[in-house]
Amino acid sequence: MKGHFGSYGGQFVPETLMHPLEELESAYESVQRDPEFHAQLDELLRNYSGRPTPLYFAPRLTKTWGGAKIYLKREDLNHTGAHKINNCLGQGLLALRMGKKRIIAETGAGQHGVATATVCALFGLPCDIYMGEEDIRRQEINVFRMKLLGARVVPVSSGSRTLKDAINESMRDWVTNVRTTYYMLGSVLGPHPYPLMVRDFQSVIGREVRAQILEKEGRLPDALVACVGGGSNSIGLFFDFVGDKHIRMIGVEADGRGPTLGDHAARFSGGRPGVLHGTFSYILQDGNGQVVPTHSVAAGLDYPAVGPEHATLHDTGRVTYTSIDDAEALAAFNELSLLEGIIPALESAHALAQAKKLNAPDGQVVVINLSGRGDKDVNEVMRLMNS
């Protein structure tokens, strides 16, 4: 079914958004067939963002964990410090093709906001970034970076004041200004075609990993591990390997403070299917179907729903979804910093913690997607360590 991944996905939006979604889908299908578009995007990814990002063998981590060879896909070395730039460059070129004069976006951890502001500065477009007040507090450095790049950061005070509420406000803005405004959604969620489009732009991660690991090891990995908020970095890693049935793929959600509803963001263990932000997927909700607050030490994982393609990968069993709590993520944050001299984003630290728990044996190869760097998180980690 068009716009769906199995039974998940779709377009559950007000009538006023159907035309702009159809316009977006048509424009995206057009550029997908356009070699010039792909040449422009490839040039920007290579010479502006710095792709391909390295696949780094982590010798001290490998030795300390005492089992499989551990490789890190260094998305943290992208320009702006995370995988988000892959999608923003693609959508930015698309917005120009569509003749849009203004960009809006939501952000949680701030990395999508920084990448959006960066692309808007590059292309000379004004942009407004919606961000929850709690995330503004946690991600003070990224807020300043967005402002330096010329973006207007719009605080969102409603609800839990996190990513969900920032998306709400972005959609309200888009409904009002659809003729001139492009909504640069940052993850594989929302109504079709966003989950498909963002996945396609992020799939460069997995394509590079396939070529790089074959060059380094002469074979494909035994396991791939990535954190899952909305799910763009993980689907970017997984997509090229879905057909390789012998490869384990593990998506890692945020278990937050614990299993009580409201204390975590583990949609697959604590949620059930429903509709949020225009798509049908797994959502954390109460007995009356009301979306509940979430919690994670990582702002980028602090979201009550998950991308619809992940929902299908979960139900079919192709990807195993687990969860890591705040304390485990903070321990992994410190461990990578001390052992490899790499400070990871708190989101990526969830994937690191889960990879360690795999206890994969000698002779195996494990690739962890280091989706972002931890510059943005050092103030929050320092506060937590001192509290």
Short mmCIF file of all heavy atoms in Angstrom, two decimals, residues 107-111 114 131-146 297-300 346-347 373-380:
data_model
loop_
_atom_site.label_atom_id
_atom_site.label_comp_id
_atom_site.label_asym_id
_atom_site.label_seq_id
_atom_site.Cartn_x
_atom_site.Cartn_y
_atom_site.Cartn_z
N THR A 107 13.43 20.41 16.55
CA THR A 107 14.64 19.74 17.02
C THR A 107 14.49 19.36 18.48
O THR A 107 13.78 20.02 19.24
CB THR A 107 15.90 20.62 16.81
OG1 THR A 107 17.06 19.82 16.92
CG2 THR A 107 15.96 21.78 17.77
N GLY A 108 15.17 18.26 18.85
CA GLY A 108 15.16 17.80 20.24
C GLY A 108 16.55 17.97 20.82
O GLY A 108 16.81 18.87 21.63
N ALA A 109 17.47 17.11 20.38
CA ALA A 109 18.86 17.21 20.84
C ALA A 109 19.58 18.42 20.26
O ALA A 109 20.68 18.75 20.67
CB ALA A 109 19.62 15.94 20.48
N GLY A 110 18.98 19.06 19.28
CA GLY A 110 19.57 20.24 18.68
C GLY A 110 20.38 19.97 17.43
O GLY A 110 20.67 20.89 16.67
N GLN A 111 20.74 18.70 17.18
CA GLN A 111 21.59 18.40 16.03
C GLN A 111 20.85 18.62 14.71
O GLN A 111 21.44 19.09 13.74
CB GLN A 111 22.13 16.98 16.12
CG GLN A 111 23.21 16.79 17.17
CD GLN A 111 24.39 17.71 16.99
OE1 GLN A 111 24.71 18.52 17.87
NE2 GLN A 111 25.05 17.63 15.86
N VAL A 114 20.70 22.38 14.25
CA VAL A 114 21.98 22.92 13.79
C VAL A 114 22.20 22.60 12.32
O VAL A 114 22.63 23.45 11.53
CB VAL A 114 23.15 22.37 14.65
CG1 VAL A 114 24.49 22.73 14.02
CG2 VAL A 114 23.06 22.93 16.06
N MET A 131 11.75 24.37 19.27
CA MET A 131 12.47 23.54 20.24
C MET A 131 11.82 23.69 21.61
O MET A 131 11.53 24.79 22.07
CB MET A 131 13.94 23.99 20.30
CG MET A 131 14.86 23.07 21.08
SD MET A 131 16.59 23.60 20.90
CE MET A 131 17.44 22.19 21.63
N GLY A 132 11.56 22.53 22.26
CA GLY A 132 10.95 22.56 23.58
C GLY A 132 11.84 23.23 24.62
O GLY A 132 13.07 23.14 24.56
N GLU A 133 11.22 23.90 25.58
CA GLU A 133 12.00 24.63 26.59
C GLU A 133 12.91 23.72 27.41
O GLU A 133 14.02 24.13 27.79
CB GLU A 133 11.04 25.40 27.51
CG GLU A 133 10.39 26.58 26.85
CD GLU A 133 9.46 27.34 27.77
OE1 GLU A 133 9.04 26.76 28.79
OE2 GLU A 133 9.14 28.50 27.46
N GLU A 134 12.48 22.50 27.68
CA GLU A 134 13.33 21.56 28.41
C GLU A 134 14.56 21.20 27.58
O GLU A 134 15.68 21.10 28.11
CB GLU A 134 12.54 20.30 28.78
CG GLU A 134 13.36 19.15 29.34
CD GLU A 134 14.08 19.47 30.65
OE1 GLU A 134 13.80 20.52 31.26
OE2 GLU A 134 14.94 18.67 31.06
N ASP A 135 14.37 21.01 26.28
CA ASP A 135 15.51 20.70 25.42
C ASP A 135 16.42 21.91 25.24
O ASP A 135 17.64 21.76 25.12
CB ASP A 135 15.04 20.19 24.06
CG ASP A 135 14.39 18.82 24.16
OD1 ASP A 135 14.70 18.09 25.12
OD2 ASP A 135 13.55 18.49 23.30
N ILE A 136 15.85 23.11 25.23
CA ILE A 136 16.68 24.32 25.18
C ILE A 136 17.59 24.39 26.40
O ILE A 136 18.77 24.73 26.30
CB ILE A 136 15.79 25.58 25.08
CG1 ILE A 136 15.16 25.67 23.68
CG2 ILE A 136 16.57 26.85 25.41
CD1 ILE A 136 14.18 26.81 23.51
N ARG A 137 17.05 24.02 27.56
CA ARG A 137 17.87 23.99 28.77
C ARG A 137 18.99 22.97 28.66
O ARG A 137 20.15 23.25 28.99
CB ARG A 137 17.00 23.65 30.00
CG ARG A 137 17.78 23.61 31.31
CD ARG A 137 16.99 22.96 32.42
NE ARG A 137 16.78 21.54 32.19
CZ ARG A 137 17.70 20.60 32.38
NH1 ARG A 137 18.93 20.94 32.76
NH2 ARG A 137 17.42 19.33 32.17
N ARG A 138 18.66 21.76 28.16
CA ARG A 138 19.64 20.68 28.10
C ARG A 138 20.68 20.89 27.00
O ARG A 138 21.79 20.37 27.09
CB ARG A 138 18.94 19.34 27.86
CG ARG A 138 18.12 18.86 29.02
CD ARG A 138 17.69 17.42 28.84
NE ARG A 138 16.60 17.25 27.90
CZ ARG A 138 15.96 16.09 27.73
NH1 ARG A 138 16.33 15.01 28.41
NH2 ARG A 138 14.97 16.00 26.87
N GLN A 139 20.31 21.62 25.96
CA GLN A 139 21.17 21.73 24.77
C GLN A 139 21.54 23.18 24.49
O GLN A 139 21.44 23.67 23.37
CB GLN A 139 20.46 21.11 23.56
CG GLN A 139 20.05 19.66 23.77
CD GLN A 139 21.25 18.73 23.92
OE1 GLN A 139 22.34 19.02 23.43
NE2 GLN A 139 21.06 17.62 24.60
N GLU A 140 22.00 23.85 25.52
CA GLU A 140 22.30 25.28 25.44
C GLU A 140 23.32 25.60 24.35
O GLU A 140 23.21 26.59 23.62
CB GLU A 140 22.81 25.75 26.80
CG GLU A 140 23.11 27.23 26.90
CD GLU A 140 23.62 27.62 28.28
OE1 GLU A 140 23.85 26.72 29.12
OE2 GLU A 140 23.79 28.83 28.52
N ILE A 141 24.33 24.74 24.20
CA ILE A 141 25.38 24.99 23.20
C ILE A 141 24.80 24.96 21.79
O ILE A 141 25.10 25.82 20.96
CB ILE A 141 26.52 23.97 23.36
CG1 ILE A 141 27.24 24.21 24.68
CG2 ILE A 141 27.50 24.06 22.19
CD1 ILE A 141 28.28 23.15 25.02
N ASN A 142 23.96 23.95 21.52
CA ASN A 142 23.37 23.85 20.18
C ASN A 142 22.42 25.01 19.89
O ASN A 142 22.30 25.44 18.73
CB ASN A 142 22.65 22.52 20.01
CG ASN A 142 23.59 21.43 19.51
OD1 ASN A 142 24.69 21.71 19.07
ND2 ASN A 142 23.16 20.19 19.56
N VAL A 143 21.74 25.50 20.90
CA VAL A 143 20.86 26.66 20.71
C VAL A 143 21.69 27.86 20.25
O VAL A 143 21.32 28.57 19.30
CB VAL A 143 20.09 26.99 22.00
CG1 VAL A 143 19.32 28.30 21.84
CG2 VAL A 143 19.13 25.85 22.36
N PHE A 144 22.82 28.07 20.89
CA PHE A 144 23.69 29.18 20.50
C PHE A 144 24.24 28.97 19.09
O PHE A 144 24.34 29.93 18.30
CB PHE A 144 24.84 29.32 21.51
CG PHE A 144 25.72 30.51 21.24
CD1 PHE A 144 25.20 31.81 21.27
CD2 PHE A 144 27.06 30.35 20.95
CE1 PHE A 144 26.02 32.91 21.02
CE2 PHE A 144 27.88 31.44 20.69
CZ PHE A 144 27.36 32.72 20.74
N ARG A 145 24.59 27.73 18.75
CA ARG A 145 25.09 27.44 17.40
C ARG A 145 24.03 27.79 16.35
O ARG A 145 24.34 28.38 15.31
CB ARG A 145 25.47 25.97 17.27
CG ARG A 145 26.69 25.57 18.06
CD ARG A 145 26.87 24.06 18.06
NE ARG A 145 27.37 23.56 16.79
CZ ARG A 145 27.33 22.29 16.43
NH1 ARG A 145 26.78 21.39 17.22
NH2 ARG A 145 27.83 21.90 15.27
N MET A 146 22.78 27.42 16.60
CA MET A 146 21.71 27.73 15.65
C MET A 146 21.58 29.24 15.44
O MET A 146 21.42 29.72 14.31
CB MET A 146 20.38 27.14 16.13
CG MET A 146 20.25 25.65 15.99
SD MET A 146 18.65 25.04 16.55
CE MET A 146 19.05 24.40 18.16
N VAL A 297 17.74 10.65 29.32
CA VAL A 297 18.86 11.56 29.51
C VAL A 297 19.31 12.14 28.17
O VAL A 297 19.92 13.21 28.12
CB VAL A 297 20.02 10.82 30.22
CG1 VAL A 297 20.66 9.79 29.29
CG2 VAL A 297 21.06 11.80 30.76
N ALA A 298 18.98 11.44 27.07
CA ALA A 298 19.33 11.89 25.72
C ALA A 298 18.12 12.56 25.08
O ALA A 298 17.11 11.91 24.81
CB ALA A 298 19.79 10.70 24.87
N ALA A 299 18.23 13.86 24.83
CA ALA A 299 17.08 14.61 24.30
C ALA A 299 16.61 14.07 22.95
O ALA A 299 15.42 14.10 22.64
CB ALA A 299 17.45 16.08 24.17
N GLY A 300 17.53 13.53 22.15
CA GLY A 300 17.16 13.02 20.83
C GLY A 300 16.39 11.72 20.85
O GLY A 300 15.87 11.29 19.82
N LEU A 346 24.99 11.44 23.83
CA LEU A 346 24.28 10.57 24.76
C LEU A 346 23.37 9.60 24.02
O LEU A 346 23.14 8.47 24.49
CB LEU A 346 23.49 11.40 25.77
CG LEU A 346 24.30 12.01 26.91
CD1 LEU A 346 23.45 12.99 27.71
CD2 LEU A 346 24.88 10.93 27.82
N GLU A 347 22.85 10.02 22.88
CA GLU A 347 22.04 9.10 22.08
C GLU A 347 22.88 7.91 21.64
O GLU A 347 22.50 6.74 21.84
CB GLU A 347 21.47 9.82 20.84
CG GLU A 347 20.42 10.88 21.15
CD GLU A 347 21.02 12.20 21.65
OE1 GLU A 347 22.26 12.40 21.53
OE2 GLU A 347 20.25 13.02 22.18
N ARG A 373 28.43 13.41 18.03
CA ARG A 373 29.46 13.64 19.05
C ARG A 373 28.86 14.32 20.27
O ARG A 373 27.80 14.94 20.21
CB ARG A 373 30.64 14.42 18.50
CG ARG A 373 30.35 15.77 17.91
CD ARG A 373 31.66 16.43 17.47
NE ARG A 373 31.44 17.68 16.76
CZ ARG A 373 31.66 17.85 15.47
NH1 ARG A 373 32.07 16.85 14.73
NH2 ARG A 373 31.47 19.03 14.91
N GLY A 374 29.61 14.22 21.38
CA GLY A 374 29.04 14.61 22.67
C GLY A 374 29.28 16.03 23.10
O GLY A 374 28.96 16.38 24.25
N ASP A 375 29.81 16.89 22.21
CA ASP A 375 30.02 18.30 22.59
C ASP A 375 28.75 18.90 23.17
O ASP A 375 28.79 19.63 24.17
CB ASP A 375 30.44 19.13 21.37
CG ASP A 375 31.65 18.59 20.64
OD1 ASP A 375 31.85 17.37 20.68
OD2 ASP A 375 32.37 19.38 20.03
N LYS A 376 27.64 18.59 22.55
CA LYS A 376 26.35 19.17 22.95
C LYS A 376 25.91 18.71 24.34
O LYS A 376 25.07 19.36 24.98
CB LYS A 376 25.26 18.79 21.93
CG LYS A 376 24.94 17.30 21.93
CD LYS A 376 23.94 16.92 20.85
CE LYS A 376 23.63 15.44 20.86
NZ LYS A 376 23.04 14.95 22.12
N ASP A 377 26.46 17.58 24.81
CA ASP A 377 25.98 16.97 26.05
C ASP A 377 26.88 17.19 27.26
O ASP A 377 26.52 16.80 28.37
CB ASP A 377 25.82 15.45 25.85
CG ASP A 377 24.71 15.11 24.87
OD1 ASP A 377 23.63 15.72 24.96
OD2 ASP A 377 24.93 14.25 24.00
N VAL A 378 28.06 17.79 27.07
CA VAL A 378 29.01 17.83 28.18
C VAL A 378 28.48 18.64 29.37
O VAL A 378 28.71 18.26 30.52
CB VAL A 378 30.39 18.35 27.72
CG1 VAL A 378 31.07 17.33 26.84
CG2 VAL A 378 30.28 19.70 27.02
N ASN A 379 27.75 19.72 29.10
CA ASN A 379 27.21 20.51 30.21
C ASN A 379 26.18 19.71 31.00
O ASN A 379 26.17 19.74 32.25
CB ASN A 379 26.56 21.81 29.70
CG ASN A 379 27.60 22.84 29.29
OD1 ASN A 379 28.78 22.68 29.55
ND2 ASN A 379 27.14 23.90 28.64
N GLU A 380 25.32 18.98 30.30
CA GLU A 380 24.29 18.18 30.98
C GLU A 380 24.93 17.02 31.74
O GLU A 380 24.53 16.72 32.87
CB GLU A 380 23.28 17.66 29.96
CG GLU A 380 22.14 16.83 30.54
CD GLU A 380 21.17 17.62 31.41
OE1 GLU A 380 21.34 18.85 31.56
OE2 GLU A 380 20.24 16.99 31.94
#
